[in-house]
Amino acid sequence: MVQFESSVKHVPYTQERVYTKLADLNNLASVRERLDELKSKFPGKVEDLSFDQDSLTLKVQGISLTLRIIEREPMKCIKFEGDRTPLPMNLWIQVLPVSDAEAKMKVTIRAEVNAFMKAMVSKPLQEGVEKLADILALIPY
């Protein structure tokens, strides 16, 4: 089991607004509309994105990943589990208040990989968790 954490991202919105938007993935329609913009900011990374209330499927460098929400801890954390992923994994988004008008978030991925695979997947997973946090920090909540 290996774990990768993004750096802490500050967002200029309240903890409640950030959590509420992310807890129902249908609220990410605005992100879907800006997919072309994301593709240009992260070339060769995000190719496609689709979602419903509880799951998110993204295609990254030819690999399709589906993450499903398995737990919501109101205002604090949303936990996902890999549904159709190349390796067993969990992802969670933590949201904490900084002030009345600002929150901070961190994305964590925990994946089951053997020692041989660890060398191959460590860099892409660390980059992926950081890029996901960057994208989440850019969302207008």
Side-chain angles (χ1 to χ4, degrees):
M1 190 72 72
V2 292
Q3 185 167 306
F4 303 92
E5 295 181 354
S6 72
S7 55
V8 174
K9 307 293 179 184
H10 287 263
V11 288
Y13 300 95
T14 65
Q15 175 187 20
E16 183 177 0
R17 280 182 68 172
V18 174
Y19 174 85
T20 301
K21 181 142 189 172
L22 295 177
D24 179 348
L25 298 176
N26 283 322
N27 292 330
L28 297 180
S30 61
V31 175
R32 178 76 179 93
E33 292 162 8
R34 296 175 59 205
L35 184 59
D36 290 336
E37 185 183 326
L38 289 174
K39 284 181 183 177
S40 65
K41 281 187 177 170
F42 305 107
K45 302 290 183 200
V46 179
E47 295 165 21
D48 197 14
L49 178 68
S50 60
F51 44 83
D52 58 31
Q53 183 175 353
D54 295 318
S55 69
L56 166 81
T57 301
L58 59 128
K59 192 172 182 182
V60 181
Q61 296 177 327
I63 299 169
S64 189
L65 305 167
T66 299
L67 297 169
R68 189 165 310 287
I69 294 177
I70 56 168
E71 185 181 332
R72 291 173 175 92
E73 188 180 335
M75 304 311 139
K76 293 181 184 171
C77 188
I78 304 161
K79 294 182 182 179
F80 297 81
E81 184 174 76
D83 190 353
R84 290 179 303 167
T85 53
L87 45 116
M89 64 185 295
N90 286 59
L91 177 143
W92 54 99
I93 303 168
Q94 295 167 282
V95 184
L96 295 169
V98 173
S99 68
D100 290 344
E102 185 182 13
K104 60 184 177 179
M105 72 169 63
K106 182 169 81 170
V107 178
T108 304
I109 291 178
R110 185 176 291 160
E112 285 185 38
V113 294
N114 61 35
F116 173 72
M117 290 288 291
K118 185 177 179 183
M120 292 192 320
V121 302
S122 288
K123 187 176 181 203
L125 282 175
Q126 185 60 52
E127 287 175 359
V129 77
E130 198 62 43
K131 294 241 185 304
L132 179 57
D134 287 341
I135 291 168
L136 293 173
L138 294 173
I139 293 174
Y141 292 95

